[in-house]
Amino acid sequence: MEKQIQNKPRFLCLHGFRTSGQILKKQVLRWPESVKQKLDLVFLDGQFPAQGKSDVEGIFDPPYYEWFQANQDFTEYKNFDECLVYIEDYMLKNGPFDGVLGFSQGAFLAAAMPGMQEQGLALQKINKIKFLILISGAMFGGMKYGTPKLASNAFSEPINCPSLHIIGEADFMKPESIILQKAFVDPVVINHPKGHTIPRLDEKSLATMLGFIDKIQGMLSDSDGHSKN
């Protein structure tokens, strides 16, 4: 029993633009019990209260938050560095974490973290981010998005971090999500028919998800074994 708990991958979960940790939690907890019981999920609110209308008003209750701000065409960013310091501080005080799960704006952030960390530009006080789950994600410097200075070289090399990419067929972010997926070494992909949302998992998607979790659990078990030898 101890070993099972010890090897339960722990993920910090980063919500979408102008939503909240609580909203992301409600959406992710729709996933089957067989997924939820294998992951330790921690949900954090963005540092900044929403500075405008939220797309989820009337669907989910406030408060709403955002991680950083951008101009209208997403070529310039504000408070990105502050956002990383805020997340690092939380991970330091509440960790250790094995991976990061992100949706939409949270997936933007999560995807860039391993590269920034690897290059020594950010997140140096915390353990290496080992795994990513990216839902409706995109890449800084993709088709239409600019790049914050700290993330300017985050994708200069293929990202060698086990990653699961959840991509919606009807999602306006789909082309960006495909570009992001190609930036990773051996990405695991779940395609679903919905739009910009956290989907329920059908039988095929569930099998892919459980396969990914089993793989990363095995990697954690191996690293535990090596550290004890």
Side-chain angles (χ1 to χ4, degrees):
M1 177 63 88
E2 264 184 38
K3 188 175 180 187
Q4 184 185 4
I5 294 168
Q6 194 173 355
N7 294 325
K8 200 172 180 178
R10 193 156 192 253
F11 279 80
L12 180 66
C13 302
L14 307 180
H15 61 76
F17 185 57
R18 293 180 183 166
T19 66
S20 70
Q22 193 58 37
I23 292 170
L24 180 61
K25 184 176 183 178
K26 285 179 182 175
Q27 294 174 301
V28 167
L29 291 185
R30 295 173 186 159
W31 287 348
E33 200 61 40
S34 55
V35 171
K36 293 183 290 185
Q37 68 186 9
K38 290 191 171 195
L39 297 173
D40 181 7
L41 302 174
V42 179
F43 297 85
L44 178 63
D45 288 329
Q47 183 178 8
F48 303 102
Q51 298 186 12
K53 185 175 169 60
S54 169
D55 288 343
V56 301
E57 278 181 32
I59 304 168
F60 293 104
D61 292 334
Y64 310 121
Y65 301 92
E66 53 198 51
W67 297 105
F68 54 87
Q69 295 80 42
N71 62 357
Q72 200 164 3
D73 57 359
F74 295 96
T75 55
E76 295 175 13
Y77 300 90
K78 183 181 171 189
N79 291 319
F80 184 76
D81 296 20
E82 290 83 351
C83 160
L84 288 173
V85 170
Y86 168 72
I87 290 171
E88 181 178 47
D89 185 58
Y90 183 86
M91 293 179 83
L92 197 59
K93 289 175 180 171
N94 298 277
F97 289 91
D98 300 301
V100 183
L101 176 154
F103 169 65
S104 195
Q105 190 186 42
F108 257 101
L109 262 177
M113 283 180 176
M116 291 187 291
Q117 193 178 44
E118 183 74 25
Q119 292 168 5
L121 297 173
L123 308 167
Q124 294 303 290
K125 296 176 185 175
I126 56 171
N127 292 353
K128 181 180 176 182
I129 295 165
K130 303 183 193 80
F131 316 118
L132 293 175
I133 298 175
L134 305 170
I135 310 163
S136 294
M139 187 172 97
F140 289 119
M143 288 170 71
K144 63 178 182 179
Y145 296 105
T147 308
K149 189 173 179 184
L150 269 184
S152 56
N153 292 311
F155 299 98
S156 57
E157 300 284 337
I159 306 296
N160 195 8
C161 172
S163 59
L164 174 66
H165 303 252
I166 301 178
I167 301 173
E169 191 58 40
D171 190 350
F172 68 91
M173 292 278 275
K174 181 186 173 186
E176 298 283 354
S177 296
I178 291 170
I179 290 171
L180 175 65
Q181 165 203 326
K182 290 176 180 175
F184 285 80
V185 177
D186 296 328
V188 176
V189 181
I190 288 175
N191 293 293
H192 65 89
K194 303 287 187 181
H196 196 69
T197 188
I198 294 152
R200 295 176 188 272
L201 301 173
D202 62 18
E203 196 174 333
K204 183 182 176 186
S205 299
L206 178 59
T208 302
M209 171 78 82
L210 291 174
F212 177 76
I213 295 170
D214 286 347
K215 173 185 165 186
I216 65 177
Q217 278 183 319
M219 292 172 73
L220 287 178
S221 297
D222 289 346
S223 65
D224 284 349
H226 290 314
S227 65
K228 287 170 189 169
N229 290 336

